[in-house]
């Protein structure tokens, strides 16, 4: 998974994929363990489509509402076209995590890097100067200063440390003896010590010549010995487990052969039933299509019936209004009252007309009288 993330970073997925689609950068174990299957599956299909686009394939980004089976089959088809064949069932990709998802993304990332003409180069290691290590001739290769520090820090054996011979003191004594022996003696040295007293002194001093050495967990010898022990244990376990595993493998192979033979037998027995089922499915699809067409005609007729019913309601309403108007006597009464009013107005007009005629007649007579009186007057002169 870490190598896969390194390939994503080489393709700059944080700058392109994450910013364009709003995804967060993936962690080291995002596609390896179960976190949120729905979110992981959508992230897997999105990054797979993006890698296919980087590899030169024309594929659209999948949506969350798309059919997962169709999306997985599309990704596997594109992967087969690139020359990679999956050795696991497609339903493993539905979880969005696991070995199948990591294998698929790793192959797609390799194809995307090939499309980008990326090539791996040999690593260049920096040159380091060889350090001179002061190795002691003793097989334990003890460091005197480190052993001295370990002896000083041992709080549990305080009383023992009082009787322990210090390595620094031992080195100083050895150094003094070397300095003394470096100068050649002028005479031959002879020992005056009694051998019995020397043995007694050795027995007395021997318990004090005790050096405690702590095991260092970082020592490569301990690691090597531990590796050998683990290797021996693994070999013993493999030797013990190989017979039962071989037996289990044989049983599994026999079971698979039985399952395959029974599956073939069941398929042969159910072949005609499957054919009949397919025929019935075709008939059902045809009946559904007819029902859909008939339902569309019924819907259209129902709509027309509703329109005709509305028109009939309007016609009935108009007929009811006209019938109520025909049986109603109020208009006749109003007509009679109007005729009476007209007669009264005509009578009044006649009276006014007679009065006006009378006044006009009087005015004419008056003018006539005036005109006749003016002609008989001797002082009247005509124009």
């Amino acid at each position: 998974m870490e190598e896969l993330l390194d390939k994503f970073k080489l393709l700059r997925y944080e700058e392109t994929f994450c910013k364009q689609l709003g995804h967060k950068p993936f962690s080291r174990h995002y596609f390896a363990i179960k976190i949120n299957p729905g979110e992981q599956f959508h992230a897997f299909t999105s990054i797979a489509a993006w890698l296919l686009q980087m590899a030169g394939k024309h594929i659209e980004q999948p949506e969350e509402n798309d059919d997962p089976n169709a999306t997985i089959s599309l990704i596997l088809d594109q992967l087969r076209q690139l020359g990679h064949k999956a050795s696991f069932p497609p339903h493993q990709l539905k979880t969005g995590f696991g070995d199948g998802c990591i294998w698929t993304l790793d192959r797609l990332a390799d194809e995307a890097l090939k499309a980008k003409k990326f090539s791996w180069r040999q690593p260049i290691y920096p040159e380091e100067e060889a350090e001179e290590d002061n190795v002691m001739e003793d097989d334990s290769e003890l460091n005197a200063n480190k052993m001295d520090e370990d002896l000083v820090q041992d709080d549990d054996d305080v009383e023992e440390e009082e009787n322990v011979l210090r390595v620094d003191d031992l080195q100083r004594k050895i150094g003094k003896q070397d300095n003394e022996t470096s100068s050649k003696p002028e005479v031959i040295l002879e020992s005056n010590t009694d051998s019995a007293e020397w043995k007694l002194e050795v027995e007395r001093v021997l318990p004090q010549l005790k050096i405690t050495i702590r095991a260092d967990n970082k020592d490569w010898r301990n690691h090597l010995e531990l590796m050998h022990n683990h290797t021996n244990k693994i070999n013993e376990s493999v030797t013990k487990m190989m017979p039962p595993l071989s037996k289990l493998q044989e049983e599994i192979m026999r079971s698979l052969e039985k399952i395959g033979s029974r599956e073939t037998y069941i398929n042969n027995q159910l072949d005609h039933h499957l054919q009949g089922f397919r025929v019935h499915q075709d008939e059902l699809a045809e009946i559904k299509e007819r029902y859909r067409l008939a339902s569309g005609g019924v819907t259209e007729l129902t709509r027309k019936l509703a329109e005709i019913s509305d028109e009939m309601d309007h016609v009935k309403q108009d007929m009811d209004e006209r019938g109520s108007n025909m049986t109603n006597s109020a208009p006749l009464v109003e007509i009679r009252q109007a005729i009476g009013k007209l007669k009264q107005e005509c009578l009044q007009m006649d009276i006014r007309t007679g009065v006006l005629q009378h006044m006009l007649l009087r005015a004419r007579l008056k003018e006539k009288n005036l005109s006749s009186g003016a002609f008989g007057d001797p002082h009247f002169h005509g124009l």
Side-chain angles (χ1 to χ4, degrees), residues 182-236:
S182 61
S183 60
K184 295 182 179 180
E186 296 178 357
V187 295
I188 297 173
L189 298 177
E190 294 181 358
S191 177
N192 298 326
T193 307
D194 188 6
S195 61
E197 293 180 358
W198 176 260
K199 290 180 181 180
L200 291 174
E201 183 67 20
V202 169
E203 291 178 357
R204 186 183 65 81
V205 179
L206 185 60
Q208 297 181 4
L209 299 176
K210 178 183 176 183
I211 299 175
T212 57
I213 301 173
R214 289 186 178 180
D216 189 5
N217 294 326
K218 297 182 180 179
D219 190 7
W220 63 271
R221 292 182 181 82
N222 296 332
H223 292 174
L224 182 61
E225 184 179 0
L226 187 62
M227 288 171 62
H228 286 307
N229 294 332
H230 287 322
T231 303
N232 294 330
K233 290 181 181 180
I234 290 171
N235 292 330
E236 293 176 0

Side-chain angles (χ1 to χ4, degrees), residues 17 21 41-63 71 74-75 78 104-105 108 112:
F17 173 76
L21 301 179
F41 178 73
H42 180 60
F44 165 73
T45 54
S46 299
I47 191 69
W50 179 74
L51 290 173
L52 287 171
Q53 292 175 2
M54 297 290 289
K57 298 292 183 180
H58 298 286
I59 183 173
E60 296 181 356
Q61 283 290 338
E63 301 291 338
T71 305
L74 179 60
I75 293 172
Q78 295 293 334
T104 303
L105 294 178
L108 292 177

Side-chain angles (χ1 to χ4, degrees), residues 109-150:
D110 292 338
E111 294 297 331
L113 290 173
K114 288 180 182 178
K116 295 294 182 182
K117 297 182 180 179
F118 177 83
S119 61
W120 299 95
R121 298 178 181 176
Q122 292 292 335
I124 301 174
Y125 299 101
E127 296 180 357
E128 297 181 357
E129 296 180 356
E131 297 181 358
E132 296 181 356
D133 298 333
N134 296 325
V135 182
M136 297 179 65
E137 293 181 357
D138 191 13
D139 294 337
S140 61
E141 296 182 357
L142 297 174
N143 190 344
N145 294 329
K146 183 176 180 181
M147 187 173 64
D148 188 26
E149 292 176 2
D150 292 339

